[in-house]
Amino acid sequence: HLLLFLLFVGPFNCFASYSRATELFYSLNEGLPAGVLIGSLAHDLRLPTAGGQQPAALRPPLSFTLASHGLGGQYVQLDNRSGELHTSAVEIDREALCVESSGATVLGGSSAVSSSSLSSESCLLLLDVLVLPQEYFRLVKVKIAIRDVNDNAPHFPVPHIHLSVPENAPVNTRLAIEHPALDPDMGTNSVQTYRLRDNYGVFTLDVEENESGERTPYLIVMGALDRETQEEYVTVIIAEDGGTPPLVGSATLTIGISDINDNCPQFNDSQLNVTLYGNSSLGTHVATVHAVDMDLGSNALVTYSYSQKVPETSRDLFHLNESTGVITLSTKVDGDTPRLHRLIILGNGPGCIPAVITVLVTIIKVMMRPPEVVPRFIANEVEGVVYLKELEPINTPIAFFTIKDPDEKYKVSCYLDGDGPFRLSPYKPYNNEYLLETTKPLDFETQQLYEISIVAWNSEGFRVNKVIKVQVLDDNDNSPVFSEQLIELSIEENNVPNAFLTKLHATDADSGERGQVSYFLGPDAPSYFALDKTTGVLTVSTQLDREEKEKYRYTVKAVDSGFPPRESIATVTITVLDKNDNSPRFINKDFSFFVPENFPGFGEIGVISVTDADAGQNGWVALSVLNGSDIFVIDTGKGVLRAKVSLDREQQSSYILWIEAVDGGDPALSSTAKITILLLDINDNPPLVLFPQSNMSYLLVLPSTLPGSLITEVYAVDKDTGMNAVIAYSIIGRRGPRPESFRIDPKTGNITLEESLMQNDYGLYRLLVKVSDHGYPEPLHSTVMVNLFVNDTVSNESYIESLLRREPDISIEEKQPQISIEPTHKKMESASCMPTLVALSIISLGSIALVTGMSIYICLRKGKRHHRADENLEVQIPLNGRINLHMLEKKPMEISNI
């Protein structure tokens, strides 16, 4: 709609006197909360506020609207009336918005702006605001510069930085650190300095800044380095920005000292003395020379050679291995061979002067040849090494050995030298044959290689050793073994999916594939547990709920890769730990209790049942009364609700309480329930007579009153309800000239004239009326004296009052009043012989009085019926025992006596 409006009014804007484009510049810090004032467009544009010469009532209101809701519009709130710009709930993060490394970054709608006049660190929000109505129309370009704050600490792109320095690096050598720290902030809030936590006294840092403002740290060597003394330095490089306060970041810097060839080979000894028997066989080991070079790699490579001073005969007799320095006998020793040889050996290193060692070899002439040991292997043998599988049976043959004297002059014997389950015994019936065999099964896991010697010697004491190596081959004879047979774990409920539980570990003493262990879940494991076959990492893929299941128990297997595979089983038990994730829960949301009134204080009204599915302290529940705590109290442990005082239904018939249940978790959870307490009525109030107000009041009854006329009434109320409030009226005592002339309605209390009054019926009538309720088990009652004075007039009031003050001699009738009373047939006496005119006059006067009395009676009865109808809605219950009476203070009805 706004676009259509602008298209419509666009052609006419050219003629508006106020139509022009305006630019406003504002600036604010990043990260400000919502509601911060940026600026007021109406004030800053100095827009007319009085509407020119127009009165205020006719002045059109200004309207401010964002022309486009681009990226910049989400960060501001524009008041359409006042034109005030405020920050919105979307926080401005300069580093997230302005990610360009150079030039000004402009954020806004589709409009492009030139930023050539802005600094290289500018970050702008661009807004287009339309000002209406038509006479003030203009397009306002609002530019908001976002100022940087130091809200980012420097950080290195890698946690570990490695740098190599040659050990011969001179002092002041500078080496660039390839991974400088990064800081998204700008200016002085970016990285300013670097330092080392420990410089070992030989290093320091310097910072160089290039043309683009990037700072690169350089490591400077401040002292001599020697790789052979210390080959590595580990320290922490710290980057610090220039904010207030400054923020820092760090990374581990490892400075490796690279080797150069600054060491030459050296022999530990300058001379070796060796003795060699003249009958030694070819290849006999003579000596080994060893030179050490402290450098590394090719710089430490040592080769061995004879000096030019060594005679050619010695070179031919003894072979020198150039790589290992081993000297062996290369030709037979005969009678012409010199008995002393001086071998000068050079240890050669790259770029070094050779090290020199002298080996003196003395040859001892021997007149006899040594015994010979000739092996014939039965087991698999390769280059003097015999291979036997473990678990081979006892007495497994290994080899035959033939022992003989080449000169056939001396007796030759032999024996087995070395440790191991082997035995060398003569092989009958031959004299010079011996059998080498095992004495018990071999175990690869106990020992894998044995080295034994077959020693032969003749009677002259000349000995010869034949060394045999026995390699034990592994077999899949071991099952994987768990580090624990029972793995007990625990995890808090509501865990994240794929939560780590533990890493199982099982070992297999076998070698190779036979010792490689794989892990599997047992068939009794729930499907939401996962076990990595290779690593043994046990995870749970779903959230666990302690209230649903607290304990898990299942088996896991470790299986090796042998053939056939062997396995072992362990048991995993997982206990789900409780978290306070369940609120206390009432059995019912609404509780109702019926309690008889006058219930004794601190008696048990009822029990509030509440549960909490959590365990331990999280499942402990405390109950409290939120309202009515001055009257009611609740037992926290048992949930028993009690009243501190006795309750009176006539004061308040019901109570509504709110009970709060709070658990013991941190933070605690709670819930509430509504409690309704209804008080049941008991008959603890006797009827209260409201009329007549006093036993001393009286009423004049004219002798001309017709039979059946309403004379007066007894009006009483009962504060109880139900049958306890149903009232019956009865006359229990009479006194007067003819007291039976009056009767009372047991329901209404209306007193009427039964018979016509005669001349001799004049005088004072005193009726003792009993007002009784129908309470159970025992009704309560009140009495009142109704005084009727039959006469034409009241001529002497003092005389009547004196009669009333006398104690009446009235006999009490024990007849119980009945509510349902059948109407009685009145006996009509014969009419007197008075003149007809007098009779008609009396009847006329009586009719007028009767109509007036009936009108008053009907009004009073309507009010009484409404009162009883309200009271009969309540609940009553009979109780045995004495009850304390609480009387309501009601003002009796004022009725004037005649």
Side-chain angles (χ1 to χ4, degrees):
H1 294 142
L2 178 62
L3 179 60
L4 293 176
F5 172 77
L6 295 177
L7 290 175
F8 178 77
V9 302
F12 304 100
N13 289 346
C14 299
F15 303 100
S17 60
Y18 289 99
S19 298
R20 59 184 180 274
T22 308
E23 284 192 354
L24 290 179
F25 291 90
Y26 298 105
S27 64
L28 76 161
N29 291 341
E30 63 173 325
L32 294 178
V36 176
L37 178 64
I38 301 174
S40 175
L41 303 185
H43 177 270
D44 297 336
L45 292 172
R46 295 181 175 85
L47 292 176
T49 58
Q53 301 300 323
Q54 296 179 355
L58 300 178
R59 181 189 343 134
L62 293 175
S63 174
F64 300 85
T65 308
L66 287 175
S68 62
H69 295 277
L71 178 62
Q74 64 178 315
Y75 298 103
V76 297
Q77 290 287 344
L78 175 62
D79 191 303
N80 293 338
R81 293 299 180 189
S82 66
E84 290 186 348
L85 271 177
H86 294 84
T87 57
S88 70
V90 180
E91 183 178 295
I92 300 176
D93 185 1
R94 185 186 189 282
E95 289 72 38
L97 295 177
C98 304
V99 296
E100 297 184 10
S101 59
S102 63
T105 302
V106 180
L107 302 171
S110 59
S111 301
V113 298
S114 174
S115 58
S116 59
S117 63
L118 303 173
S119 67
S120 61
E121 297 181 357
S122 295
C123 174
L124 295 180
L125 291 179
L126 176 62
L127 305 174
D128 291 343
V129 180
L130 295 175
V131 182
L132 297 173
Q134 179 65 22
E135 54 265 36
Y136 305 121
F137 172 77
R138 68 183 62 191
L139 175 64
V140 181
K141 298 280 188 177
V142 179
K143 296 180 181 180
I144 303 173
I146 309 302
R147 293 193 297 266
D148 183 49
V149 298
N150 192 27
D151 57 346
N152 292 279
H155 69 279
F156 287 89
V158 293
H160 298 278
I161 301 174
H162 296 272
L163 192 63
S164 180
V165 181
E167 61 177 327
N168 64 342
V171 175
N172 294 326
T173 297
R174 300 171 64 87
L175 299 168
I177 297 177
E178 297 180 356
H179 301 285
L182 306 176
D183 193 329
D185 295 324
M186 300 296 294
T188 59
N189 292 333
S190 63
V191 178
Q192 299 297 314
T193 62
Y194 292 86
R195 66 177 184 271
L196 294 177
R197 180 172 296 174
D198 186 0
N199 57 20
Y200 295 95
V202 292
F203 299 105
T204 187
L205 288 179
D206 190 17
V207 179
E208 290 186 4
E209 184 175 355
N210 59 17
E211 295 178 355
S212 62
E214 295 180 353
R215 295 174 178 265
T216 302
Y218 281 80
L219 182 72
I220 302 176
V221 180
M222 301 297 295
L225 303 177
D226 185 5
R227 187 205 64 81
E228 289 74 32
T229 303
Q230 184 168 350
E231 63 181 0
E232 185 180 76
Y233 297 87
V234 179
T235 184
V236 175
I237 181 173
I238 300 173
E240 182 176 305
D241 63 21
T244 304
L247 303 178
V248 299
S250 63
T252 301
L253 176 62
T254 301
I255 306 171
I257 308 303
S258 58
D259 184 56
I260 63 169
N261 190 25
D262 58 347
N263 291 277
C264 292
Q266 291 183 355
F267 288 105
N268 292 332
D269 299 312
S270 59
Q271 181 173 311
L272 289 179
N273 297 319
V274 179
T275 300
L276 180 67
Y277 290 102
N279 59 353
S280 297
S281 58
L282 297 178
T284 299
H285 178 268
V286 178
T288 300
V289 294
H290 181 67
V292 178
D293 191 320
M294 299 299 294
D295 293 325
L296 291 177
S298 60
N299 292 333
L301 183 63
V302 179
T303 59
Y304 303 94
S305 61
Y306 284 124
S307 171
Q308 294 181 358
K309 297 179 180 180
V310 178
E312 193 66 29
T313 55
S314 297
R315 292 170 182 259
D316 295 339
L317 184 62
F318 301 103
H319 175 264
L320 174 62
N321 189 300
E322 293 183 355
S323 300
T324 62
V326 175
I327 302 172
T328 56
L329 184 64
S330 59
T331 58
K332 279 280 189 179
V333 177
D334 55 23
D336 298 331
T337 302
R339 295 294 177 255
L340 181 62
H341 297 267
R342 186 181 182 89
L343 306 178
I344 300 174
I345 300 174
L346 305 177
N348 304 295
C352 290
I353 298 175
V356 179
I357 188 173
T358 302
V359 179
L360 292 178
V361 181
T362 302
I363 299 177
I364 301 176
K365 185 176 181 180
V366 179
M367 302 305 297
M368 65 181 70
R369 289 187 295 175
E372 293 182 357
V373 178
V374 181
R376 298 191 303 278
F377 292 98
I378 302 172
N380 184 27
E381 180 268 340
V382 176
E383 296 182 356
V385 179
V386 178
Y387 296 91
L388 291 178
K389 288 185 177 181
E390 64 175 333
L391 302 182
E392 289 281 1
I394 300 176
N395 300 325
T396 296
I398 298 174
F400 279 112
F401 290 91
T402 301
I403 309 300
K404 62 181 181 179
D405 180 16
D407 299 326
E408 296 182 356
K409 296 180 180 179
Y410 306 101
K411 181 180 179 180
V412 180
S413 300
C414 71
Y415 66 92
L416 184 64
D417 185 23
D419 297 328
F422 306 103
R423 176 176 58 212
L424 183 67
S425 57
Y427 190 73
K428 303 297 185 181
Y430 305 104
N431 292 329
N432 58 343
E433 297 291 338
Y434 293 84
L435 176 64
L436 179 65
E437 58 187 352
T438 61
T439 58
K440 62 179 182 180
L442 303 177
D443 187 3
F444 175 84
E445 289 71 37
T446 302
Q447 189 170 344
Q448 294 129 23
L449 181 65
Y450 295 90
E451 186 172 317
I452 56 178
S453 298
I454 309 299
V455 181
W457 81 98
N458 57 20
S459 55
E460 296 297 323
F462 202 89
R463 297 173 182 269
V464 174
N465 293 343
K466 181 64 176 179
V467 178
I468 303 295
K469 293 182 179 180
V470 178
Q471 177 68 54
V472 182
L473 301 178
D474 187 29
D475 199 357
N476 193 31
D477 60 337
N478 290 277
S479 299
V481 177
F482 280 99
S483 57
E484 296 176 292
Q485 286 299 312
L486 177 61
I487 304 166
E488 296 179 328
L489 307 174
S490 63
I491 185 174
E492 278 194 344
E493 62 177 330
N494 304 330
N495 56 281
V496 297
N498 301 316
F500 173 83
L501 293 174
T502 189
K503 183 176 182 180
L504 303 181
H505 181 66
T507 57
D508 193 316
D510 295 323
S511 63
E513 293 184 354
R514 292 172 292 272
Q516 294 179 0
V517 180
S518 300
Y519 302 91
F520 302 94
L521 291 172
D524 54 345
S527 59
Y528 40 83
F529 288 97
L531 180 59
D532 189 279
K533 175 182 178 182
T534 305
T535 64
V537 173
L538 181 63
T539 57
V540 56
S541 61
T542 186
Q543 281 191 348
L544 300 181
D545 186 359
R546 189 204 65 83
E547 288 72 36
E548 180 179 337
K549 189 172 183 181
E550 185 176 6
K551 296 281 188 180
Y552 293 88
R553 185 183 181 93
Y554 53 87
T555 58
V556 291
K557 295 191 298 183
V559 183
D560 64 21
S561 301
F563 184 79
R566 300 174 71 96
E567 67 180 36
S568 62
I569 296 176
T571 301
V572 175
T573 63
I574 300 175
T575 302
V576 183
L577 303 179
D578 184 54
K579 291 182 70 175
N580 193 29
D581 58 345
N582 290 277
S583 301
R585 190 172 185 179
F586 290 93
I587 292 179
N588 299 313
K589 282 296 182 184
D590 297 320
F591 292 84
S592 297
F593 297 108
F594 295 88
V595 181
E597 64 172 329
N598 301 328
F599 194 68
F602 292 97
E604 181 178 324
I605 294 175
V607 177
I608 312 298
S609 298
V610 62
T611 60
D612 194 313
D614 293 322
Q617 185 174 350
N618 293 334
W620 179 85
V621 179
L623 298 174
S624 61
V625 180
L626 294 179
N627 62 324
S629 58
D630 53 338
I631 300 176
F632 297 94
V633 66
I634 191 166
D635 187 334
T636 296
K638 299 180 180 178
V640 177
L641 182 64
R642 306 176 191 273
K644 299 179 183 179
V645 297
S646 179
L647 304 177
D648 186 0
R649 190 204 63 79
E650 284 72 39
Q651 294 184 6
Q652 188 171 342
S653 60
S654 65
Y655 296 87
I656 294 179
L657 305 178
W658 290 96
I659 303 297
E660 182 182 37
V662 182
D663 61 24
D666 184 17
L669 301 178
S670 63
S671 60
T672 57
K674 180 181 178 182
I675 312 296
T676 303
I677 301 174
L678 300 174
L679 296 183
L680 304 177
D681 184 53
I682 63 173
N683 193 26
D684 58 345
N685 293 281
L688 175 64
V689 178
L690 300 180
F691 185 82
Q693 299 180 11
S694 170
N695 291 335
M696 300 299 292
S697 63
Y698 64 94
L699 182 67
L700 175 64
V701 181
L702 298 177
S704 59
T705 302
L706 295 178
S709 298
L710 175 66
I711 305 302
T712 185
E713 70 168 344
V714 177
Y715 178 65
V717 295
D718 195 315
K719 299 177 182 177
D720 297 320
T721 60
M723 293 302 295
N724 294 334
V726 176
I727 298 175
Y729 302 88
S730 62
I731 300 175
I732 62 173
R734 303 168 186 264
R735 184 177 176 82
R738 190 154 55 97
E740 66 274 5
S741 300
F742 300 94
R743 67 175 294 273
I744 190 169
D745 189 304
K747 292 184 178 179
T748 64
N750 293 338
I751 299 177
T752 57
L753 180 64
E754 285 286 297
E755 301 172 352
S756 299
L757 297 173
M758 302 301 177
Q759 188 68 31
N760 56 353
D761 293 337
Y762 285 32
L764 181 63
Y765 289 79
R766 308 197 74 176
L767 305 178
L768 182 59
V769 178
K770 180 181 180 180
V771 184
S772 176
D773 61 23
H774 282 65
Y776 180 86
E778 181 179 354
L780 303 178
H781 69 274
S782 302
T783 59
V784 66
M785 187 69 74
V786 180
N787 302 304
L788 304 175
F789 183 63
V790 179
N791 201 9
D792 292 326
T793 61
V794 179
S795 59
N796 190 352
E797 292 185 4
S798 60
Y799 170 72
I800 298 174
E801 292 176 356
S802 65
L803 293 177
L804 294 175
R805 283 193 292 269
R806 296 176 185 176
E807 187 69 28
D809 184 12
I810 298 176
S811 59
I812 304 300
E813 301 174 6
E814 295 298 332
K815 182 179 179 181
Q816 192 72 19
Q818 300 294 327
I819 294 180
S820 298
I821 301 176
E822 297 295 333
T824 58
H825 298 282
K826 301 175 182 178
K827 296 180 180 181
M828 303 299 294
E829 296 183 353
S830 299
S832 63
C833 296
M834 298 178 68
T836 302
L837 182 60
V838 174
L840 292 175
S841 299
I842 294 174
I843 290 173
S844 299
L845 293 173
S847 298
I848 294 173
L850 178 61
V851 171
T852 304
M854 288 299 293
S855 299
I856 297 173
Y857 170 74
I858 289 171
C859 293
L860 295 174
R861 288 297 295 166
K862 286 183 179 179
K864 185 189 295 184
R865 286 173 184 170
H866 289 303
H867 174 72
R868 290 179 178 175
D870 292 338
E871 289 190 341
N872 288 337
L873 294 177
E874 301 187 16
V875 184
Q876 67 89 22
I877 184 170
L879 292 180
N880 293 324
R882 283 298 188 186
I883 307 299
N884 293 328
L885 303 180
H886 302 279
M887 304 296 290
L888 287 174
E889 294 182 0
K890 293 185 178 178
K891 185 176 181 181
M893 186 186 303
E894 294 184 0
I895 301 177
S896 300
N897 296 330
I898 298 176

